[in-house]
């Protein structure tokens, strides 16, 4: 038992060191050359570091961890490994919510946009879960494909209304996630991810039971619908805050939970920290690739994650079908 504890401590220590190295690289990588020593001698670079580099890195960590955990909760509630914000229409619903906030309130604040995205995301997630519970075909691949089609319909509706209002160009900003514009005063909405993750951890065991089906959950005395509502609400908070802040990040909530589950099992409370860690590290790595790939220019991170995540998604499907 002691050897297992020592091994666990060593693994987490190594993981912490790796994450700290990635955070350090994120803080000091960019077009503007900044060294650690210059933070104490150059006030201009220190100001840029505080208002740009630190918010960007914090956003990467929180969104990477939050979206990965949100994807795992959706997979638990839907009883399907391939369900995530990308394959359930949640990202498209959040974009639709922002669009209607802009149409109804052209000068709407970040808070109004986020609340609108939250309402649309929650309602869409509820419809998706309700639909898959009614569908008799329980194919592992069929459900996410339906979700992708559902998301495409939502995206088409958003594009139509954006075209009618002459704001198609604005909506393009949400199609691919981009952290380059994250600065102090424009990213604080992501802090709401923290209480959402804490709530998910508190309800971890109940989400596990709810994922076994309504009948099983009710037999154990669990309020199934209430747990599902709480799960969808926390997922909606994470997705809406991420989309409002940086745009859509595809496949993150799909591939990370699957990879972690394959390596560490399905015990929700035990692997939540692992999912959060891997999600944050993965997103920072993708951001570094985006910054260095065509340096000094920058590729939107949504494109980088989409390519890598799409390939991993394809491999997961092939593995499942094998």
């Amino acid at each position: 038992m002691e050897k297992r504890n020592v091994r666990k401590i060593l693994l987490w220590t190594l993981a912490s060191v790796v994450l700290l190295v990635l955070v350090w690289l994120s803080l000091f990588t960019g077009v503007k050359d900044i060294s650690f020593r210059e933070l104490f001698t150059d006030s201009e670079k220190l100001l840029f570091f505080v208002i740009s580099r630190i918010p960007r890195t914090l956003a990467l960590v929180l969104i990477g961890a939050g979206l990965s955990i949100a994807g795992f909760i959706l997979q638990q509630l839907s009883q399907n490994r391939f369900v995530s914000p990308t394959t359930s229409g949640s990202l498209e619903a959040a974009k639709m919510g922002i669009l209607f906030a802009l149409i109804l309130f052209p000068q709407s604040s970040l808070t109004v946009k986020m609340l609108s995205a939250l309402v649309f995301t929650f309602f869409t997630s509820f419809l998706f879960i309700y639909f898959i519970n009614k569908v008799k075909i329980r194919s592992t691949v069929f459900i996410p494909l339906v979700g992708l089609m559902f998301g495409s319909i939502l995206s088409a509706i958003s594009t139509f209304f954006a075209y009618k209002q002459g704001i198609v160009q604005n909506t393009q900003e949400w199609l691919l996630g981009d952290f380059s514009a994250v600065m102090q005063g424009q990213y604080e909405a992501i802090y709401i991810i923290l209480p959402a993750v804490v709530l998910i951890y508190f309800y971890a065991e109940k989400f596990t039971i709810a994922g076994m089906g309504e009948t099983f959950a009710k037999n154990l005395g669990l309020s199934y619908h209430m747990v599902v509502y709480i799960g969808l609400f926390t997922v909606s908070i994470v997705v809406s805050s991420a989309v409002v802040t940086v745009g859509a990040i595809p496949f993150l909530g799909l591939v990370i939970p699957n990879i972690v589950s394959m390596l560490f099992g399905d015990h929700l409370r035990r692997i939540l920290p692992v999912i959060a860690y891997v999600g944050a590290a993965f997103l920072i790595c993708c951001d570094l690739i985006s910054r260095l790939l065509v340096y000094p220019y920058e590729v939107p991170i949504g494109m980088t994650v989409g390519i890598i995540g799409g390939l991993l998604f394809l491999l997961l499907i092939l593995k499942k079908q094998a």
Side-chain angles (χ1 to χ4, degrees):
M1 191 67 178
E2 292 182 359
K3 290 183 178 180
R4 179 182 294 181
N5 290 334
V6 171
R7 183 182 177 185
K8 186 182 294 185
I9 292 173
L10 289 175
L11 285 174
W12 275 111
T13 301
L14 178 61
S16 300
V17 171
V18 171
L19 184 61
L20 287 174
V21 171
L22 290 174
V23 168
W24 181 274
L25 291 174
S26 177
L27 288 172
F28 293 97
T29 300
V31 177
K32 191 174 184 65
D33 187 22
I34 300 176
S35 65
F36 182 72
R37 181 181 300 177
E38 289 175 326
L39 297 178
F40 301 96
T41 59
D42 192 325
S43 59
E44 181 182 346
K45 290 188 176 181
L46 175 61
L47 180 63
F48 179 82
F49 187 81
V50 171
I51 67 174
S52 179
R53 294 285 175 83
I54 292 179
R56 178 172 184 151
T57 303
L58 283 174
L60 285 165
V61 172
L62 289 175
I63 292 176
L67 285 179
S68 299
I69 291 176
F72 190 65
I73 296 303
L74 278 178
Q75 291 168 17
Q76 288 287 315
L77 295 178
S78 64
Q79 304 175 51
N80 191 295
R81 287 294 182 192
F82 293 147
V83 170
S84 73
T86 306
T87 57
S88 65
S90 297
L91 293 178
E92 287 74 14
K95 292 184 286 186
M96 180 180 285
I98 299 173
L99 173 65
F100 276 87
L102 288 174
I103 293 175
L104 297 175
F105 311 101
Q107 303 299 322
S108 57
S109 64
L110 189 65
T111 303
V112 173
K113 293 177 185 176
M114 181 175 169
L115 289 175
S116 179
L118 175 62
V119 171
F120 274 75
T121 305
F122 178 79
F123 182 69
T124 301
S125 300
F126 174 78
L127 283 180
F128 180 76
I129 295 295
Y130 176 81
F131 173 77
I132 63 176
N133 286 334
K134 297 296 183 181
V135 171
K136 296 181 179 179
I137 303 176
R138 305 303 295 178
S139 169
T140 305
V141 179
F142 175 76
I143 298 298
L145 289 179
V146 170
L148 288 171
M149 288 188 291
F150 184 40
S152 298
I153 293 172
L154 294 177
S155 180
I157 294 173
S158 298
T159 303
F160 171 77
F161 281 101
Y163 177 78
K164 294 285 288 186
Q165 297 294 323
I167 55 174
V168 175
Q169 188 172 0
N170 291 343
T171 61
Q172 298 302 314
E173 299 175 4
W174 314 322
L175 295 179
L176 289 176
D178 186 7
F179 283 83
S180 62
V182 174
M183 300 184 69
Q184 192 176 66
Q186 301 176 358
Y187 80 106
E188 284 75 10
I190 63 170
Y191 284 135
I192 199 173
I193 291 177
L194 288 174
V197 170
V198 171
L199 186 61
I200 289 173
Y201 189 81
F202 180 75
Y203 274 85
E205 294 177 356
K206 295 182 179 179
F207 290 143
T208 301
I209 296 173
M212 296 178 182
E214 182 177 355
T215 303
F216 183 85
K218 287 184 175 179
N219 288 337
L220 292 178
L222 186 69
S223 179
Y224 174 79
H225 294 292
M226 181 58 68
V227 173
V228 171
Y229 293 153
I230 292 173
L232 295 180
F233 181 69
T234 54
V235 168
S236 301
I237 288 176
V238 174
V239 172
S240 58
S241 61
V243 174
V244 165
T245 307
V246 300
I249 307 292
F251 294 110
L252 183 63
L254 190 153
V255 297
I256 299 302
N258 275 284
I259 292 174
V260 173
S261 295
M262 285 180 357
L263 295 175
F264 298 96
D266 293 325
H267 193 288
L268 183 56
R269 189 184 293 275
R270 192 186 320 171
I271 68 170
L272 272 180
V274 182
I275 292 174
Y277 168 82
V278 176
F282 176 78
L283 196 61
I284 292 176
C285 289
C286 288
D287 184 62
L288 290 173
I289 293 173
S290 297
R291 289 196 236 183
L292 299 175
L293 193 61
V294 290
Y295 188 87
Y297 303 102
E298 184 172 328
V299 178
I301 192 172
M303 185 180 298
T304 307
V305 176
I307 293 173
I308 298 175
L311 292 174
L312 291 174
F313 180 41
L314 180 61
L315 291 175
L316 289 171
I317 292 179
L318 294 176
K319 180 178 176 61
K320 190 68 178 179
Q321 294 298 313

